[in-house]
Amino acid sequence: MPSPFPGMDPWLEQHWGDVHTRFVTYCSDRLQTALPRDLRARVEEREGRAYDIYKAPIDRRLPVIAVPLRTGDADVLLDLQAVLNDAYDRGGYDIIDYRKPPQPPLAGELAEWADQLLSRKQFR
């Protein structure tokens, strides 16, 4: 069963260590299948590569990002939402009790939006 959220699921924060490890591993797996044969996707290794920061609003799908490779190689596209969905499914997070507030809790309009979404999808 997929997460009820279209993008990042704030209820995953309480399991972030596991979610993060799965997310990074699944990103590496997806990248490896798309890389030129002489390149390798590695986890927790860096060779001075720059990085970008993407905001991840919970009311929108996570983006497909372009991962730059060497000069002359085409960027590889990585669907972050598909990776998060894999982490959610394979991690067994379908047991999350969405009737309890997330930790940390949501506030204001965002909390109201999440409550309406969860009610509409019958998670509450």
Side-chain angles (χ1 to χ4, degrees):
M1 172 193 298
S3 166
F5 289 88
M8 185 54 72
D9 183 332
W11 273 256
L12 292 177
E13 285 291 327
Q14 59 193 332
H15 306 285
W16 189 246
D18 184 62
V19 173
H20 180 263
T21 298
R22 288 175 185 279
F23 188 81
V24 171
T25 300
Y26 300 157
C27 282
S28 177
D29 291 347
R30 283 178 182 256
L31 288 171
Q32 189 59 55
T33 63
L35 290 174
R37 290 185 47 78
D38 62 331
L39 290 181
R40 301 291 178 267
R42 298 286 187 229
V43 175
E44 300 294 331
E45 292 183 16
R46 287 180 81 163
E47 292 188 25
R49 287 197 180 175
Y51 58 88
D52 292 318
I53 297 174
Y54 296 87
K55 291 183 179 184
I58 66 172
D59 63 342
R60 282 182 248 141
R61 186 183 196 287
L62 295 179
V64 174
I65 62 169
V67 178
L69 304 179
R70 302 171 293 201
T71 303
D73 287 329
D75 292 351
V76 172
L77 297 180
L78 180 61
D79 185 340
L80 297 180
Q81 188 65 55
V83 175
L84 183 64
N85 292 348
D86 284 349
Y88 187 93
D89 291 341
R90 293 180 185 177
Y93 296 112
D94 58 334
I95 64 167
I96 289 175
D97 185 353
Y98 288 99
R99 294 171 297 180
K100 297 179 181 176
Q103 295 302 320
L106 299 174
E109 290 179 8
L110 198 53
E112 290 175 30
W113 175 84
D115 184 54
Q116 291 172 1
L117 174 80
L118 293 170
S119 294
R120 189 171 63 248
K121 293 190 173 190
Q122 299 179 341
F123 282 82
R124 290 201 166 152

